[in-house]
Amino acid sequence: MNIRTEIIAVGSELLLGQIVNSNAQFLSQQLAELGMNVYYHTVVGDNPTRLEQAIDVAKKRSNIIIFTGGLGPTKDDLTKETISNALGKKLVFDQEALDSIENYFVQSKRIMSENNKKQALVLEGSYILKNDFGMAPGMALEADQTIYMLLPGPPSEMKPMFKNYGREYFQKQLGFQEKIISRVVRYFGIGESQLETDIQDIIDEQVNPTVAPLAGDGEVTLRLTAKHVDELVANQLLNELEQKINQRVGEFFYGYEQTTLPLELKKLLIEKQKTISAAESLTGGMFSEQITALDGVSQFFKGSIVSYSNQMKAQILKVSPQTLQEYGAVSEQCAKEMADQIRKLSNSDIGISFTGVAGPEPHEGQPVGTVFIGISMQNRETQVYSFHFVGTRKGIRVRTVKYGCHYLVKLLTEIE
């Protein structure tokens, strides 16, 4: 079967820009892992005529059509009704879904309206996809050599429904025997274009396993996917591919799946039994906020000082007035003293500092994007890293924090 998949997102709020169509992105990633080609993304408002037109177009070019949204209890939730008319299929109550909805209202001591019953309606003869986190069930139906799948709009309902039931349906319906295993490998400190250049021959030669580069927030991730009837063999294929890639760009590797640089930093600080404190200027507490957003940070994080003005740098951090006068706050010398002083003041094993110009105007003769990051550690020479970032004020600050975490991770990895 030549799989041609189309995703139709239903909801006027999507067209108005009130919410982002994250469902389509999620489904495309999931379907790619299954080896299913997604050719089209369509968005249509809560209008039965336009939805019917979208269905007519999709039927001519796709043999799998997945709908998200429009399964709720309100008048503008018309996906089921419109597809029912388009396919000539009746809508019938799914008793299990109806019982679940009625039970919810009994337990919450609320009166159930007739509209809520509507959520239990399904296309006659369809395969029911259970909704573990909401009321409206999903469903799948094959008609005229086309598979139709209807999923709820809220991501909190749609994602687990597809992962737990939708994937299995497609695997059985399409006769997939191979297990599909994916692994996300994360890199920082190398641009997407450079990483692709370094592994271009691997990308060009890919068959099984495959590699897909993804970029976002100044980081690069690779999604490695292998297929095999034996899961152990599939994982071995991934191991071999990852090893081959990291022989070239392994110095930039820092973790897997949904991890983050602050989370990897936390793991290493706990593992190495090191404490840390921060002196922040241009980042304005952003580093500290990201660290303290993680649980268990009291084990290693002593605290921070946001020393935005030169007065605070001199009076609180004890940065030398001579340094500030001779070199300025945006300098290698100031970053070094800030890192050294915060480590000593807090009696931490490590002190990190951030100083620079986030914009929008130059400062002390330094252009926007000039950044210095200092890292001080007892019995080691203090290191200062200099950068010139391009982008918005927020973007410069975000990248500064990421690079701070990146160099701390590298430092801690080297420690015995």
PDB file of all heavy atoms in Angstrom, residues 86-115:
ATOM      1  N   ALA A  86     -20.707  12.887   4.836  1.00  0.00           N
ATOM      2  CA  ALA A  86     -19.843  12.689   3.672  1.00  0.00           C
ATOM      3  C   ALA A  86     -19.698  11.226   3.305  1.00  0.00           C
ATOM      4  O   ALA A  86     -19.593  10.867   2.122  1.00  0.00           O
ATOM      5  CB  ALA A  86     -18.469  13.315   3.942  1.00  0.00           C
ATOM      6  N   LEU A  87     -19.711  10.340   4.311  1.00  0.00           N
ATOM      7  CA  LEU A  87     -19.505   8.912   4.062  1.00  0.00           C
ATOM      8  C   LEU A  87     -20.810   8.129   4.018  1.00  0.00           C
ATOM      9  O   LEU A  87     -20.806   6.934   3.679  1.00  0.00           O
ATOM     10  CB  LEU A  87     -18.597   8.318   5.150  1.00  0.00           C
ATOM     11  CG  LEU A  87     -17.186   8.916   5.292  1.00  0.00           C
ATOM     12  CD1 LEU A  87     -16.412   8.171   6.364  1.00  0.00           C
ATOM     13  CD2 LEU A  87     -16.447   8.867   3.970  1.00  0.00           C
ATOM     14  N   GLY A  88     -21.906   8.789   4.379  1.00  0.00           N
ATOM     15  CA  GLY A  88     -23.186   8.070   4.423  1.00  0.00           C
ATOM     16  C   GLY A  88     -23.234   7.057   5.545  1.00  0.00           C
ATOM     17  O   GLY A  88     -23.851   5.990   5.424  1.00  0.00           O
ATOM     18  N   LYS A  89     -22.581   7.380   6.670  1.00  0.00           N
ATOM     19  CA  LYS A  89     -22.537   6.480   7.830  1.00  0.00           C
ATOM     20  C   LYS A  89     -23.350   7.072   8.976  1.00  0.00           C
ATOM     21  O   LYS A  89     -23.285   8.276   9.242  1.00  0.00           O
ATOM     22  CB  LYS A  89     -21.090   6.272   8.294  1.00  0.00           C
ATOM     23  CG  LYS A  89     -20.194   5.571   7.276  1.00  0.00           C
ATOM     24  CD  LYS A  89     -20.496   4.082   7.211  1.00  0.00           C
ATOM     25  CE  LYS A  89     -19.537   3.367   6.276  1.00  0.00           C
ATOM     26  NZ  LYS A  89     -19.818   1.918   6.214  1.00  0.00           N
ATOM     27  N   LYS A  90     -24.113   6.215   9.668  1.00  0.00           N
ATOM     28  CA  LYS A  90     -24.892   6.674  10.806  1.00  0.00           C
ATOM     29  C   LYS A  90     -23.992   6.964  12.014  1.00  0.00           C
ATOM     30  O   LYS A  90     -22.900   6.402  12.145  1.00  0.00           O
ATOM     31  CB  LYS A  90     -25.906   5.608  11.214  1.00  0.00           C
ATOM     32  CG  LYS A  90     -27.001   5.355  10.207  1.00  0.00           C
ATOM     33  CD  LYS A  90     -27.933   4.272  10.748  1.00  0.00           C
ATOM     34  CE  LYS A  90     -29.056   3.951   9.761  1.00  0.00           C
ATOM     35  NZ  LYS A  90     -29.943   2.882  10.270  1.00  0.00           N
ATOM     36  N   LEU A  91     -24.496   7.822  12.884  1.00  0.00           N
ATOM     37  CA  LEU A  91     -23.863   8.045  14.175  1.00  0.00           C
ATOM     38  C   LEU A  91     -24.639   7.280  15.229  1.00  0.00           C
ATOM     39  O   LEU A  91     -25.869   7.382  15.306  1.00  0.00           O
ATOM     40  CB  LEU A  91     -23.837   9.534  14.530  1.00  0.00           C
ATOM     41  CG  LEU A  91     -22.837  10.404  13.766  1.00  0.00           C
ATOM     42  CD1 LEU A  91     -23.040  11.882  14.090  1.00  0.00           C
ATOM     43  CD2 LEU A  91     -21.400  10.003  14.096  1.00  0.00           C
ATOM     44  N   VAL A  92     -23.945   6.480  16.008  1.00  0.00           N
ATOM     45  CA  VAL A  92     -24.584   5.668  17.041  1.00  0.00           C
ATOM     46  C   VAL A  92     -23.859   5.902  18.363  1.00  0.00           C
ATOM     47  O   VAL A  92     -22.702   6.328  18.386  1.00  0.00           O
ATOM     48  CB  VAL A  92     -24.556   4.173  16.679  1.00  0.00           C
ATOM     49  CG1 VAL A  92     -25.368   3.903  15.416  1.00  0.00           C
ATOM     50  CG2 VAL A  92     -23.130   3.672  16.505  1.00  0.00           C
ATOM     51  N   PHE A  93     -24.538   5.617  19.468  1.00  0.00           N
ATOM     52  CA  PHE A  93     -23.911   5.796  20.773  1.00  0.00           C
ATOM     53  C   PHE A  93     -22.964   4.641  21.075  1.00  0.00           C
ATOM     54  O   PHE A  93     -23.314   3.471  20.869  1.00  0.00           O
ATOM     55  CB  PHE A  93     -24.973   5.891  21.879  1.00  0.00           C
ATOM     56  CG  PHE A  93     -25.630   7.242  21.960  1.00  0.00           C
ATOM     57  CD1 PHE A  93     -26.948   7.410  21.546  1.00  0.00           C
ATOM     58  CD2 PHE A  93     -24.937   8.331  22.456  1.00  0.00           C
ATOM     59  CE1 PHE A  93     -27.554   8.648  21.618  1.00  0.00           C
ATOM     60  CE2 PHE A  93     -25.545   9.588  22.528  1.00  0.00           C
ATOM     61  CZ  PHE A  93     -26.853   9.744  22.109  1.00  0.00           C
ATOM     62  N   ASP A  94     -21.783   4.989  21.557  1.00  0.00           N
ATOM     63  CA  ASP A  94     -20.869   3.985  22.094  1.00  0.00           C
ATOM     64  C   ASP A  94     -21.175   3.862  23.580  1.00  0.00           C
ATOM     65  O   ASP A  94     -20.975   4.819  24.341  1.00  0.00           O
ATOM     66  CB  ASP A  94     -19.413   4.405  21.877  1.00  0.00           C
ATOM     67  CG  ASP A  94     -18.436   3.417  22.493  1.00  0.00           C
ATOM     68  OD1 ASP A  94     -18.357   2.293  21.986  1.00  0.00           O
ATOM     69  OD2 ASP A  94     -17.774   3.778  23.486  1.00  0.00           O
ATOM     70  N   GLN A  95     -21.667   2.712  23.990  1.00  0.00           N
ATOM     71  CA  GLN A  95     -22.174   2.558  25.340  1.00  0.00           C
ATOM     72  C   GLN A  95     -21.100   2.766  26.395  1.00  0.00           C
ATOM     73  O   GLN A  95     -21.344   3.390  27.429  1.00  0.00           O
ATOM     74  CB  GLN A  95     -22.805   1.168  25.516  1.00  0.00           C
ATOM     75  CG  GLN A  95     -23.636   1.041  26.789  1.00  0.00           C
ATOM     76  CD  GLN A  95     -24.788   2.046  26.851  1.00  0.00           C
ATOM     77  OE1 GLN A  95     -25.544   2.190  25.894  1.00  0.00           O
ATOM     78  NE2 GLN A  95     -24.910   2.753  27.982  1.00  0.00           N
ATOM     79  N   GLU A  96     -19.898   2.274  26.132  1.00  0.00           N
ATOM     80  CA  GLU A  96     -18.822   2.432  27.116  1.00  0.00           C
ATOM     81  C   GLU A  96     -18.489   3.911  27.325  1.00  0.00           C
ATOM     82  O   GLU A  96     -18.306   4.363  28.459  1.00  0.00           O
ATOM     83  CB  GLU A  96     -17.566   1.684  26.653  1.00  0.00           C
ATOM     84  CG  GLU A  96     -16.436   1.736  27.675  1.00  0.00           C
ATOM     85  CD  GLU A  96     -15.209   0.942  27.234  1.00  0.00           C
ATOM     86  OE1 GLU A  96     -15.308   0.183  26.255  1.00  0.00           O
ATOM     87  OE2 GLU A  96     -14.138   1.098  27.877  1.00  0.00           O
ATOM     88  N   ALA A  97     -18.444   4.664  26.244  1.00  0.00           N
ATOM     89  CA  ALA A  97     -18.169   6.091  26.355  1.00  0.00           C
ATOM     90  C   ALA A  97     -19.308   6.812  27.067  1.00  0.00           C
ATOM     91  O   ALA A  97     -19.083   7.697  27.907  1.00  0.00           O
ATOM     92  CB  ALA A  97     -17.955   6.699  24.970  1.00  0.00           C
ATOM     93  N   LEU A  98     -20.560   6.433  26.735  1.00  0.00           N
ATOM     94  CA  LEU A  98     -21.718   7.059  27.367  1.00  0.00           C
ATOM     95  C   LEU A  98     -21.736   6.775  28.865  1.00  0.00           C
ATOM     96  O   LEU A  98     -21.987   7.675  29.677  1.00  0.00           O
ATOM     97  CB  LEU A  98     -23.012   6.547  26.724  1.00  0.00           C
ATOM     98  CG  LEU A  98     -24.316   7.204  27.191  1.00  0.00           C
ATOM     99  CD1 LEU A  98     -24.281   8.715  26.957  1.00  0.00           C
ATOM    100  CD2 LEU A  98     -25.514   6.575  26.472  1.00  0.00           C
ATOM    101  N   ASP A  99     -21.437   5.535  29.253  1.00  0.00           N
ATOM    102  CA  ASP A  99     -21.380   5.182  30.675  1.00  0.00           C
ATOM    103  C   ASP A  99     -20.302   5.994  31.392  1.00  0.00           C
ATOM    104  O   ASP A  99     -20.498   6.438  32.525  1.00  0.00           O
ATOM    105  CB  ASP A  99     -21.086   3.686  30.840  1.00  0.00           C
ATOM    106  CG  ASP A  99     -22.249   2.812  30.403  1.00  0.00           C
ATOM    107  OD1 ASP A  99     -23.375   3.339  30.254  1.00  0.00           O
ATOM    108  OD2 ASP A  99     -22.033   1.602  30.181  1.00  0.00           O
ATOM    109  N   SER A 100     -19.180   6.176  30.732  1.00  0.00           N
ATOM    110  CA  SER A 100     -18.068   6.925  31.332  1.00  0.00           C
ATOM    111  C   SER A 100     -18.442   8.382  31.539  1.00  0.00           C
ATOM    112  O   SER A 100     -18.143   8.973  32.585  1.00  0.00           O
ATOM    113  CB  SER A 100     -16.827   6.821  30.433  1.00  0.00           C
ATOM    114  OG  SER A 100     -15.770   7.605  30.936  1.00  0.00           O
ATOM    115  N   ILE A 101     -19.124   8.971  30.558  1.00  0.00           N
ATOM    116  CA  ILE A 101     -19.550  10.365  30.671  1.00  0.00           C
ATOM    117  C   ILE A 101     -20.570  10.531  31.794  1.00  0.00           C
ATOM    118  O   ILE A 101     -20.487  11.437  32.629  1.00  0.00           O
ATOM    119  CB  ILE A 101     -20.141  10.859  29.331  1.00  0.00           C
ATOM    120  CG1 ILE A 101     -19.043  10.908  28.264  1.00  0.00           C
ATOM    121  CG2 ILE A 101     -20.780  12.236  29.488  1.00  0.00           C
ATOM    122  CD1 ILE A 101     -19.558  11.122  26.862  1.00  0.00           C
ATOM    123  N   GLU A 102     -21.561   9.626  31.833  1.00  0.00           N
ATOM    124  CA  GLU A 102     -22.587   9.698  32.874  1.00  0.00           C
ATOM    125  C   GLU A 102     -21.971   9.527  34.264  1.00  0.00           C
ATOM    126  O   GLU A 102     -22.341  10.224  35.209  1.00  0.00           O
ATOM    127  CB  GLU A 102     -23.641   8.619  32.625  1.00  0.00           C
ATOM    128  CG  GLU A 102     -24.516   8.909  31.399  1.00  0.00           C
ATOM    129  CD  GLU A 102     -25.486   7.773  31.098  1.00  0.00           C
ATOM    130  OE1 GLU A 102     -25.250   6.651  31.601  1.00  0.00           O
ATOM    131  OE2 GLU A 102     -26.459   8.017  30.366  1.00  0.00           O
ATOM    132  N   ASN A 103     -21.012   8.615  34.374  1.00  0.00           N
ATOM    133  CA  ASN A 103     -20.346   8.376  35.651  1.00  0.00           C
ATOM    134  C   ASN A 103     -19.569   9.604  36.108  1.00  0.00           C
ATOM    135  O   ASN A 103     -19.543   9.938  37.303  1.00  0.00           O
ATOM    136  CB  ASN A 103     -19.401   7.180  35.526  1.00  0.00           C
ATOM    137  CG  ASN A 103     -18.794   6.784  36.862  1.00  0.00           C
ATOM    138  OD1 ASN A 103     -19.494   6.592  37.852  1.00  0.00           O
ATOM    139  ND2 ASN A 103     -17.474   6.659  36.898  1.00  0.00           N
ATOM    140  N   TYR A 104     -18.959  10.306  35.155  1.00  0.00           N
ATOM    141  CA  TYR A 104     -18.209  11.524  35.484  1.00  0.00           C
ATOM    142  C   TYR A 104     -19.134  12.560  36.120  1.00  0.00           C
ATOM    143  O   TYR A 104     -18.785  13.175  37.137  1.00  0.00           O
ATOM    144  CB  TYR A 104     -17.559  12.103  34.227  1.00  0.00           C
ATOM    145  CG  TYR A 104     -17.033  13.507  34.422  1.00  0.00           C
ATOM    146  CD1 TYR A 104     -15.814  13.734  35.045  1.00  0.00           C
ATOM    147  CD2 TYR A 104     -17.787  14.619  34.013  1.00  0.00           C
ATOM    148  CE1 TYR A 104     -15.344  15.028  35.246  1.00  0.00           C
ATOM    149  CE2 TYR A 104     -17.322  15.917  34.205  1.00  0.00           C
ATOM    150  CZ  TYR A 104     -16.095  16.108  34.827  1.00  0.00           C
ATOM    151  OH  TYR A 104     -15.648  17.378  35.030  1.00  0.00           O
ATOM    152  N   PHE A 105     -20.313  12.746  35.544  1.00  0.00           N
ATOM    153  CA  PHE A 105     -21.232  13.749  36.068  1.00  0.00           C
ATOM    154  C   PHE A 105     -21.816  13.329  37.417  1.00  0.00           C
ATOM    155  O   PHE A 105     -22.064  14.170  38.280  1.00  0.00           O
ATOM    156  CB  PHE A 105     -22.340  14.029  35.056  1.00  0.00           C
ATOM    157  CG  PHE A 105     -21.921  14.972  33.964  1.00  0.00           C
ATOM    158  CD1 PHE A 105     -21.444  14.484  32.762  1.00  0.00           C
ATOM    159  CD2 PHE A 105     -21.971  16.345  34.152  1.00  0.00           C
ATOM    160  CE1 PHE A 105     -21.034  15.346  31.755  1.00  0.00           C
ATOM    161  CE2 PHE A 105     -21.570  17.219  33.160  1.00  0.00           C
ATOM    162  CZ  PHE A 105     -21.092  16.713  31.945  1.00  0.00           C
ATOM    163  N   VAL A 106     -22.002  12.042  37.621  1.00  0.00           N
ATOM    164  CA  VAL A 106     -22.486  11.558  38.916  1.00  0.00           C
ATOM    165  C   VAL A 106     -21.438  11.832  39.992  1.00  0.00           C
ATOM    166  O   VAL A 106     -21.740  12.346  41.082  1.00  0.00           O
ATOM    167  CB  VAL A 106     -22.801  10.044  38.850  1.00  0.00           C
ATOM    168  CG1 VAL A 106     -23.044   9.495  40.265  1.00  0.00           C
ATOM    169  CG2 VAL A 106     -24.028   9.800  37.978  1.00  0.00           C
ATOM    170  N   GLN A 107     -20.188  11.498  39.684  1.00  0.00           N
ATOM    171  CA  GLN A 107     -19.125  11.676  40.674  1.00  0.00           C
ATOM    172  C   GLN A 107     -18.858  13.147  40.978  1.00  0.00           C
ATOM    173  O   GLN A 107     -18.518  13.500  42.120  1.00  0.00           O
ATOM    174  CB  GLN A 107     -17.842  11.005  40.170  1.00  0.00           C
ATOM    175  CG  GLN A 107     -17.916   9.480  40.172  1.00  0.00           C
ATOM    176  CD  GLN A 107     -16.589   8.846  39.795  1.00  0.00           C
ATOM    177  OE1 GLN A 107     -15.702   9.495  39.246  1.00  0.00           O
ATOM    178  NE2 GLN A 107     -16.437   7.562  40.087  1.00  0.00           N
ATOM    179  N   SER A 108     -18.996  13.986  39.966  1.00  0.00           N
ATOM    180  CA  SER A 108     -18.758  15.420  40.190  1.00  0.00           C
ATOM    181  C   SER A 108     -20.014  16.151  40.665  1.00  0.00           C
ATOM    182  O   SER A 108     -19.997  17.368  40.849  1.00  0.00           O
ATOM    183  CB  SER A 108     -18.235  16.077  38.906  1.00  0.00           C
ATOM    184  OG  SER A 108     -19.172  15.935  37.852  1.00  0.00           O
ATOM    185  N   LYS A 109     -21.106  15.398  40.831  1.00  0.00           N
ATOM    186  CA  LYS A 109     -22.373  15.934  41.324  1.00  0.00           C
ATOM    187  C   LYS A 109     -22.879  17.092  40.470  1.00  0.00           C
ATOM    188  O   LYS A 109     -23.307  18.136  40.968  1.00  0.00           O
ATOM    189  CB  LYS A 109     -22.230  16.371  42.791  1.00  0.00           C
ATOM    190  CG  LYS A 109     -21.910  15.206  43.724  1.00  0.00           C
ATOM    191  CD  LYS A 109     -21.784  15.657  45.172  1.00  0.00           C
ATOM    192  CE  LYS A 109     -21.457  14.473  46.078  1.00  0.00           C
ATOM    193  NZ  LYS A 109     -21.310  14.870  47.488  1.00  0.00           N
ATOM    194  N   ARG A 110     -22.789  16.885  39.164  1.00  0.00           N
ATOM    195  CA  ARG A 110     -23.270  17.880  38.211  1.00  0.00           C
ATOM    196  C   ARG A 110     -24.333  17.250  37.325  1.00  0.00           C
ATOM    197  O   ARG A 110     -24.384  16.024  37.160  1.00  0.00           O
ATOM    198  CB  ARG A 110     -22.107  18.389  37.346  1.00  0.00           C
ATOM    199  CG  ARG A 110     -21.074  19.180  38.107  1.00  0.00           C
ATOM    200  CD  ARG A 110     -19.816  19.400  37.269  1.00  0.00           C
ATOM    201  NE  ARG A 110     -20.109  20.031  35.990  1.00  0.00           N
ATOM    202  CZ  ARG A 110     -19.252  20.069  34.978  1.00  0.00           C
ATOM    203  NH1 ARG A 110     -18.080  19.474  35.077  1.00  0.00           N
ATOM    204  NH2 ARG A 110     -19.586  20.661  33.848  1.00  0.00           N
ATOM    205  N   ILE A 111     -25.180  18.098  36.768  1.00  0.00           N
ATOM    206  CA  ILE A 111     -26.241  17.605  35.888  1.00  0.00           C
ATOM    207  C   ILE A 111     -25.708  17.516  34.468  1.00  0.00           C
ATOM    208  O   ILE A 111     -25.131  18.465  33.942  1.00  0.00           O
ATOM    209  CB  ILE A 111     -27.470  18.534  35.940  1.00  0.00           C
ATOM    210  CG1 ILE A 111     -28.041  18.554  37.371  1.00  0.00           C
ATOM    211  CG2 ILE A 111     -28.528  18.086  34.938  1.00  0.00           C
ATOM    212  CD1 ILE A 111     -29.160  19.571  37.564  1.00  0.00           C
ATOM    213  N   MET A 112     -25.918  16.368  33.835  1.00  0.00           N
ATOM    214  CA  MET A 112     -25.439  16.174  32.471  1.00  0.00           C
ATOM    215  C   MET A 112     -26.491  16.643  31.478  1.00  0.00           C
ATOM    216  O   MET A 112     -27.659  16.256  31.554  1.00  0.00           O
ATOM    217  CB  MET A 112     -25.125  14.691  32.216  1.00  0.00           C
ATOM    218  CG  MET A 112     -24.501  14.440  30.854  1.00  0.00           C
ATOM    219  SD  MET A 112     -24.048  12.713  30.602  1.00  0.00           S
ATOM    220  CE  MET A 112     -25.652  12.004  30.223  1.00  0.00           C
ATOM    221  N   SER A 113     -26.085  17.494  30.555  1.00  0.00           N
ATOM    222  CA  SER A 113     -27.015  17.981  29.527  1.00  0.00           C
ATOM    223  C   SER A 113     -27.030  17.022  28.346  1.00  0.00           C
ATOM    224  O   SER A 113     -26.160  16.153  28.207  1.00  0.00           O
ATOM    225  CB  SER A 113     -26.581  19.375  29.062  1.00  0.00           C
ATOM    226  OG  SER A 113     -25.355  19.292  28.359  1.00  0.00           O
ATOM    227  N   GLU A 114     -27.990  17.193  27.469  1.00  0.00           N
ATOM    228  CA  GLU A 114     -28.071  16.370  26.255  1.00  0.00           C
ATOM    229  C   GLU A 114     -26.847  16.581  25.367  1.00  0.00           C
ATOM    230  O   GLU A 114     -26.424  15.669  24.659  1.00  0.00           O
ATOM    231  CB  GLU A 114     -29.359  16.689  25.484  1.00  0.00           C
ATOM    232  CG  GLU A 114     -30.620  16.154  26.130  1.00  0.00           C
ATOM    233  CD  GLU A 114     -30.626  14.635  26.225  1.00  0.00           C
ATOM    234  OE1 GLU A 114     -30.280  13.975  25.220  1.00  0.00           O
ATOM    235  OE2 GLU A 114     -30.951  14.108  27.303  1.00  0.00           O
ATOM    236  N   ASN A 115     -26.313  17.782  25.410  1.00  0.00           N
ATOM    237  CA  ASN A 115     -25.131  18.069  24.605  1.00  0.00           C
ATOM    238  C   ASN A 115     -23.963  17.162  24.958  1.00  0.00           C
ATOM    239  O   ASN A 115     -23.173  16.772  24.096  1.00  0.00           O
ATOM    240  CB  ASN A 115     -24.700  19.531  24.778  1.00  0.00           C
ATOM    241  CG  ASN A 115     -25.524  20.476  23.931  1.00  0.00           C
ATOM    242  OD1 ASN A 115     -26.333  20.029  23.126  1.00  0.00           O
ATOM    243  ND2 ASN A 115     -25.334  21.762  24.129  1.00  0.00           N
TER     244      ASN A 115
END
